[in-house]
Amino acid sequence: MNYLRSFIPWLAFAGVSTAGWQWGALAGLALSVVLLIADRAAGLSLDCRVLEYGTIVFFAALLVLAFARPESGLRMYGGALATGWLAVVAWVSIAVRRPFTMAIARRVAPPEVWHTPLFRRINVVLTAAWALSFTLAATAQALVTAYELNPLFSILIQIAGFILPARFTASYPERAKASFLQESGVRPDVLQGGLAS
């Protein structure tokens, strides 16, 4: 469940936006900066933090827009914009060879596995699952808004867009490690401590 920490600003945005999208953007920006500062203070490396930096960029831009034009029609698409941005960040993190799940996994995986091909492969697959889920959820949310369907659909889509990849994240690393062990004949104690969260 360690990966949920990275999404706290996004969850805050979703909740606080009911009082106004500018306040949701402010909450998301404040929390994303606080979490990044806390990681730095804890001595964690900030070099693989594509998601965290992407989060700050999104909320800073949205904050400016939301305060400059509070009645903009884009406010109706806040959920789709946020989820779409997460999709972009996830796909870009794969393209630049820094899958965003890697920074999250490094919180629990021992440093000796961080540079192994299996660790990288697991995190590419996990990030791709999140990216695909975000892409589909953003598209569905945009359609719900464009066709003025029941807003409950958008909420359910947003929840599913997080729960489905979260469940996959919880189960895939162990399956990948078991498959790797079977294919390669590597002793299980070599992978002690896990390769991803």
Side-chain angles (χ1 to χ4, degrees):
M1 298 297 265
N2 198 18
Y3 52 88
L4 288 179
R5 182 181 186 278
S6 297
F7 295 112
I8 289 172
W10 300 94
L11 297 171
F13 169 69
V16 177
S17 287
T18 58
W21 69 322
Q22 63 273 40
W23 305 118
L26 181 61
L29 179 61
L31 280 171
S32 59
V33 169
V34 165
L35 289 172
L36 195 64
I37 290 169
D39 284 350
R40 184 66 182 143
L44 298 173
S45 171
L46 302 182
D47 65 338
C48 289
R49 301 304 174 103
V50 178
L51 177 61
E52 288 80 354
Y53 294 129
T55 299
I56 290 170
V57 167
F58 176 81
F59 286 126
L62 187 65
L63 184 66
V64 170
L65 173 65
F67 274 104
R69 300 197 53 209
E71 299 305 318
S72 169
L74 286 178
R75 79 184 188 309
M76 302 304 295
Y77 289 89
L81 288 171
T83 309
W85 182 257
L86 283 169
V88 168
V89 168
W91 290 120
V92 166
S93 76
I94 292 171
V96 300
R97 302 178 45 87
R98 294 200 183 278
F100 82 81
T101 59
M102 199 174 305
I104 300 166
R106 285 182 175 183
R107 290 178 171 277
V108 294
E112 57 269 15
V113 301
W114 291 359
H115 301 289
T116 64
L118 180 58
F119 183 78
R120 176 167 287 286
R121 182 172 54 193
I122 287 172
N123 282 287
V124 167
V125 170
L126 292 177
T127 300
W130 283 94
L132 179 60
S133 182
F134 291 148
T135 301
L136 295 174
T139 302
Q141 287 176 300
L143 291 172
V144 165
T145 302
Y147 288 102
E148 298 179 359
L149 302 176
N150 187 331
L152 181 60
F153 290 133
S154 184
I155 294 167
L156 293 174
I157 290 165
Q158 197 166 22
I159 291 170
F162 278 90
I163 289 178
L164 294 175
R167 290 184 59 121
F168 180 72
T169 298
S171 64
Y172 176 74
E174 289 304 318
R175 290 194 326 253
K177 286 186 283 188
S179 176
F180 174 78
L181 289 172
Q182 187 175 18
E183 291 171 9
S184 67
V186 172
R187 294 185 342 260
D189 62 323
V190 171
L191 298 179
Q192 196 72 21
L195 291 176
S197 61

